[in-house]
Amino acid sequence: MLSTHRHCAVAGAVVAAASTAALTLLGAGLPSVAPAADEPDLSRFYEQKITWAACKGDGMPKDLQCGKVTVPLDYARPGAGTLDVALARYRATGKSRGSVLLNFGGPGAAGISALAGDGKDFMGLTNGYDVVTFDPRGVGQSSPVSCGEGGAEAFAKLDASLDDGEPRAALKQVQKVADECAKHSGPVLPHIGTINASRDMDVMRAALGDKKLNYLGFSYGTRLGAVYAAQFPEKVGRMALDGVDTLTESLAEQGLVSAEGQQAALDSFITWCVKDVACPFGQDPRSARQQVVQLVQSLDQDPVPADFGQQLSGQDLVGAIGQALYSKQLWPSLEGALANLVQNGDASGVLRLSSGGTARPELPRTGDRPSGRPSGGPSGGPSGGLVDPGDVPVDNPPAALMAITCADTPDRPTAEQITQNMDKLRAAYEEASPVFGRYRLTEVLICYGRPKGTDFIRDEVRAVDTPKMLLVGTRGDPATPYRWTLETAKRLGGSAVVLDNKGEGHTGYGSSRCASQKIDAFLLYGSLPPNGSSCGPEGDR
């Protein structure tokens, strides 16, 4: 079973509810193109070699090796400081033709822990490649950013401010979060983002000894791949993009699309559920949909007790449902968890779903101390060295997600614009989804007051002059809708080859046998399906 490490690609995956909060950060990557003759000398970074050793940390597979590359903190001033980027690999089982680099999405997903947990899904690629992944700058072991407990507590109040019709109060909370992020994140924060992560990937390519970059990116990782293709077109090898991200839409548009996509996925789940006599909402689809809405509203008004003194609100339930919708393989677990909640008032199954995926990044609730460092501290060290796996701040995934999203996004609506448009936006979001609309609404605020992000992705990532690339879009994807695959393919131009995966869930690799085989065939042998060809849906119950 493929885990839910295929993270949501966009800020559509980032919203805040009263007890599970996302974060927003300062920082914008500098737009950059392939190095010109008058750019700073980066040769010392491109000439380095990687030293591989056994990976640190509990539960790491014995055959997984870890290493690092050193990159400039600021590519415009390579002498002003460096940071290390953590890598991991599975060696090729036969004769290696080089490496294939994986990015699991997010943004903010740590590649090393994902590959350690999901490695069996990629063993087919070791027939020809060393399978390599990395923790991007600001993520995981690579100078992780954090916002500390103060950021979590401030953002937790955001939903209430919006519900009370006080968007300006909510914006004050956003500013407080930004201050906490800057306090806890260290020098990497102004240099985080996809532009610089892409440049880091080219350093990795050279350090791995590859003339061309072979790449498999999921969700947000498709944006990273597209940016690399625009920056380094002559270095693109075989590139597969699965769960294709938008390159053009604003955060408000992305949030609306996310609400629509998750509502469609929920409707598909309900249609599946009511065929089973054990479905807690009966056997009528229309009635079942109404019951889900009523359950969320009821829990928002009167949360039920959960483990460790917590309470489960309606928005917590929405988050758990959203995570389970990322994979059709989780639908039976979702059905059972909802039945236990509805029939017995037992929230334990829902909470297990909440901790098992990334439909929306969560911060620890007050008093909740997951494994790892309980609260954020300065990222990395003065030299930007790696941190140990146990010292990664627990809020790093949402903190990094917000940092990268805001660095990639040029839109900065003013407080007046947000206030004037809030009622209209609320109505549009609730129309898009009676379940997920409120949950997604705070996306319009996440980069308020931050330095403008780069225009490069929106304006320059188009008509790339590269070898053919495989773009895979899944029809029932709740996070990256199929139309984004078509739109991004059109922007990238004649290099893009589209595979239509007529299935459910976020991304196709691992969940669709057909899509997995076609991606592997392309990466291993260069065999591309015809543009516009399709994979049929997997079996039902």
Side-chain angles (χ1 to χ4, degrees), residues 153-184:
E153 293 170 355
F155 225 111
K157 301 175 183 178
L158 193 58
D159 237 24
S161 298
L162 290 178
D163 286 346
D164 292 339
E166 295 291 341
R168 289 187 181 273
L171 293 177
K172 290 181 180 179
Q173 296 297 329
V174 174
Q175 185 65 63
K176 183 176 180 180
V177 173
D179 293 341
E180 290 294 323
C181 298
K183 177 181 176 181
H184 288 86

Side-chain angles (χ1 to χ4, degrees), residues 31 48 50 64 114 122 125 145 157 200 204 230 233-234 251 262 267 293 350 383 434 455 491 504-505 516 538:
Q48 66 186 298
I50 302 169
L64 186 67
F122 303 98
L125 291 173
V145 294
K157 301 175 183 178
D200 293 344
M204 294 176 216
E234 74 285 358
L251 293 183
Q262 287 199 296
D267 290 345
V293 174
V350 170
S383 62
D455 292 304
R491 282 184 60 84
E504 302 289 340
S516 299
E538 299 289 309

Side-chain angles (χ1 to χ4, degrees), residues 15-84:
V15 291
S19 62
T20 54
L23 297 170
T24 184
L25 296 103
L26 296 165
L30 297 175
S32 172
V33 294
D38 58 350
E39 285 191 351
D41 182 13
L42 301 174
S43 58
R44 67 187 179 101
F45 299 102
Y46 276 85
E47 293 168 357
Q48 66 186 298
K49 302 298 180 183
I50 302 169
T51 300
W52 298 99
C55 295
K56 297 179 180 179
D58 295 336
M60 282 290 183
K62 293 181 180 179
D63 54 344
L64 186 67
Q65 298 179 322
C66 285
K68 68 177 183 179
V69 294
T70 300
V71 296
L73 181 66
D74 181 351
Y75 276 90
R77 297 185 303 131
T82 64
L83 58 87
D84 292 335

Side-chain angles (χ1 to χ4, degrees), residues 226-261:
V227 169
Y228 183 90
Q231 288 182 303
F232 304 100
E234 74 285 358
K235 299 299 183 182
V236 173
R238 295 172 185 172
M239 180 172 286
L241 309 179
D242 184 7
V244 182
D245 193 0
T246 179
L247 300 174
T248 59
E249 291 187 347
S250 69
L251 293 183
E253 291 169 330
Q254 292 174 27
L256 196 61
V257 169
S258 295
E260 292 172 343

Side-chain angles (χ1 to χ4, degrees), residues 365-388:
R365 298 178 178 90
T366 302
D368 187 12
R369 292 290 179 266
S371 61
R373 188 163 61 186
S375 62
S379 64
S383 62
L386 302 182
V387 304
D388 289 335

Side-chain angles (χ1 to χ4, degrees), residues 87-105:
L87 295 93
R89 74 172 180 181
Y90 285 108
R91 295 296 304 274
T93 55
K95 184 178 180 181
S96 175
R97 68 192 67 180
S99 302
V100 58
L101 191 64
L102 273 57
N103 180 276
F104 290 90

